[in-house]
Amino acid sequence: MKIEETGLPGLLVLTPDRFGDERGFFSETYNSAKLAEHGIQTTFVQDNHSLSAESNTIRGLHFQAPPRAQAKLVRCGRGRLWDVAVDIRAGSPTFGQHFGIELTFENAKQLLIPAGFAHGFITREPGTEIIYKCSDSYAPETEGALVWDDPDLGIDWKVTGTPILSEKDAAAPTFKEFETPFRYEAIP
């Protein structure tokens, strides 16, 4: 597995090896022991699978607050999406900064998002699926969000049409209105 740093502490791009032949391919997308060899200690307890029927569907920017904060390992199962993570850890040297990456079935890239990041994505093709592991189960009483198009965050979502989003996501607070429940802890 190829592991790449993103410039935001703890946020990593993981690209699993694919072994293929005329039948197709095999890929190990997660192995806790192999990640631990690289100093990555994350235990996942829940898998989620989301389908977005239309291009330009935006979901996010979402997070769960402590004590139920979630790390996530996200990948694209079908289609194509632009995936974004925003560092919302007070005291982080990259507080308020974001990282975006195209995830596709073809490129097999995954984004490992530690707790303390807001996460969202926009679909680039109809029928796009995102599959992700979470380090804690869903706890609606701790969920939070930031508005996706906040100019202070400066995220280029590469919107190519009218965005499709939930009323809840459209009404999320801006970064300036937001008081983070996360504190940065340097990674040894």
Side-chain angles (χ1 to χ4, degrees), residues 97-142:
Q97 294 180 29
H98 70 277
F99 175 82
I101 187 170
E102 185 173 75
L103 303 179
T104 68
F105 171 78
E106 289 79 15
N107 73 19
K109 292 182 181 295
Q110 301 179 96
L111 192 59
L112 179 62
I113 306 167
F117 280 76
H119 171 250
F121 63 91
I122 182 170
T123 59
R124 297 275 178 248
E125 296 178 5
T128 293
E129 297 179 9
I130 187 170
I131 301 165
Y132 56 102
K133 296 183 166 307
C134 298
S135 64
D136 201 341
S137 54
Y138 177 60
E141 70 279 6
T142 67

Side-chain angles (χ1 to χ4, degrees), residues 2-16:
K2 181 178 178 185
I3 301 173
E4 301 170 82
E5 295 189 14
T6 63
L8 303 183
L11 184 69
L12 302 171
V13 176
L14 310 178
T15 307

Side-chain angles (χ1 to χ4, degrees), residues 43-135:
T43 302
F44 296 109
V45 300
Q46 179 176 314
D47 279 6
N48 296 330
H49 187 157
S50 169
L51 167 70
S52 295
E54 301 295 329
S55 295
N56 291 310
T57 298
I58 296 174
R59 297 179 189 262
L61 298 158
H62 302 148
F63 62 89
Q64 277 192 189
R68 302 296 298 277
Q70 293 178 321
K72 296 177 181 176
L73 179 61
V74 301
R75 62 188 170 99
C76 182
R78 178 175 53 156
R80 191 166 56 99
L81 59 96
W82 181 251
D83 203 68
V84 176
V86 179
D87 188 345
I88 58 173
R89 301 169 295 178
S92 168
T94 57
F95 181 69
Q97 294 180 29
H98 70 277
F99 175 82
I101 187 170
E102 185 173 75
L103 303 179
T104 68
F105 171 78
E106 289 79 15
N107 73 19
K109 292 182 181 295
Q110 301 179 96
L111 192 59
L112 179 62
I113 306 167
F117 280 76
H119 171 250
F121 63 91
I122 182 170
T123 59
R124 297 275 178 248
E125 296 178 5
T128 293
E129 297 179 9
I130 187 170
I131 301 165
Y132 56 102
K133 296 183 166 307
C134 298
S135 64

